Every structure is written in C-alpha cells, then in structure tokens.
Amino acid sequence: QVQLVESGGGSVQPGGSLRLSCVASGFTFSFYEWNWYRQVPGKEREWVASFWRGGTAVYTESVKGRFTIIINGSDEQVHLQMNNLKSEDTAVYYCNARGEGFDYGKNYWGKGTPVTVDT
C-alpha cells in the first residue's frame, strides 16, 4: 500500500524553525523526484522545493536560503528544514513523490501537515 505520511508541523513564532518529515512506503523510493508543496485555504497549492534524482535541490524564490530539502534514502524519508520562518509561510505543507524511470507517470501525495507562524 502506497503511503506518504507527513509530520512535524505546528505553531512557531516568526524567526523560529520547524523540521517537517515525510515517511514513504509501498513504492521504490529511489525512482522518484521528491517535492514539498504548501497551500493556504482559498488559494492554489504552491510548489516550495524539489529534490531531483540527480541530486539537485531547487526552491521557490521566497524560501531560498531559509528552507532545505533533505533526502534520507536509507530510511525512505524526506525532510524540509525550515528556518527563519515568516508569517507568510503559514500553510498546510504536503509531501509529493513524482515517479521517474520505471515509475514514470506515478504521482503520490501525503495528507499534509499544518504550519502556523504567528506571534
């Protein structure tokens, strides 16, 4: 059974840090590009960061220098380290796995973990 389960969300003050985790199961971890997205109620889901199979990490402009996507292939986990959080980072964060190679076309999502940045 394919599963992506996020955790690590919560409430934090501006300038604080959180580390989101995504645990994958039911498919071959290494066949996938890994992504984090976020969504504010009433708005479209927004891409945040990706880790490509070749080892390149890319980020949306607003989080560059503050967020880091980390891949732990041995544990089949993906993390998003978020530092210097701002109020505009408040959203539900989703883990996404997009298949490549043998699993091209497959696309999996977690159910999300909420992040609130507020005083």
Side-chain angles (χ1 to χ4, degrees):
Q1 180 182 0
V2 171
Q3 275 194 314
L4 291 179
V5 180
E6 301 101 332
S7 63
S11 296
V12 64
Q13 292 186 343
S17 297
L18 285 173
R19 185 180 177 99
L20 306 183
S21 297
C22 174
V23 178
S25 61
F27 59 99
T28 305
F29 188 90
S30 61
F31 286 175
Y32 286 75
E33 170 190 289
W34 291 93
N35 309 292
W36 284 95
Y37 286 76
R38 63 188 180 187
Q39 189 170 22
V40 175
K43 295 188 176 181
E44 291 189 358
R45 192 167 293 188
E46 173 192 26
W47 169 74
V48 175
S50 294
F51 193 96
W52 297 341
R53 288 180 74 200
T56 300
V58 292
Y59 304 90
T60 193
E61 193 65 34
S62 64
V63 309
K64 282 182 181 177
R66 301 188 298 122
F67 290 13
T68 304
I69 185 169
I70 302 164
I71 302 296
N72 186 338
S74 60
D75 290 340
E76 298 190 333
Q77 295 189 29
V78 182
H79 305 281
L80 185 67
Q81 177 66 42
M82 306 187 297
N83 297 329
N84 190 22
L85 283 160
K86 304 177 180 181
S87 57
E88 51 263 42
D89 296 319
T90 295
V92 177
Y93 283 72
Y94 296 90
C95 179
N96 167 253
R98 188 170 299 124
E100 298 182 344
F102 290 111
D103 284 8
Y104 180 79
K106 295 182 180 180
N107 197 23
Y108 303 125
W109 291 90
K111 294 183 178 180
T113 185
V115 171
T116 301
V117 185
D118 196 359
T119 55

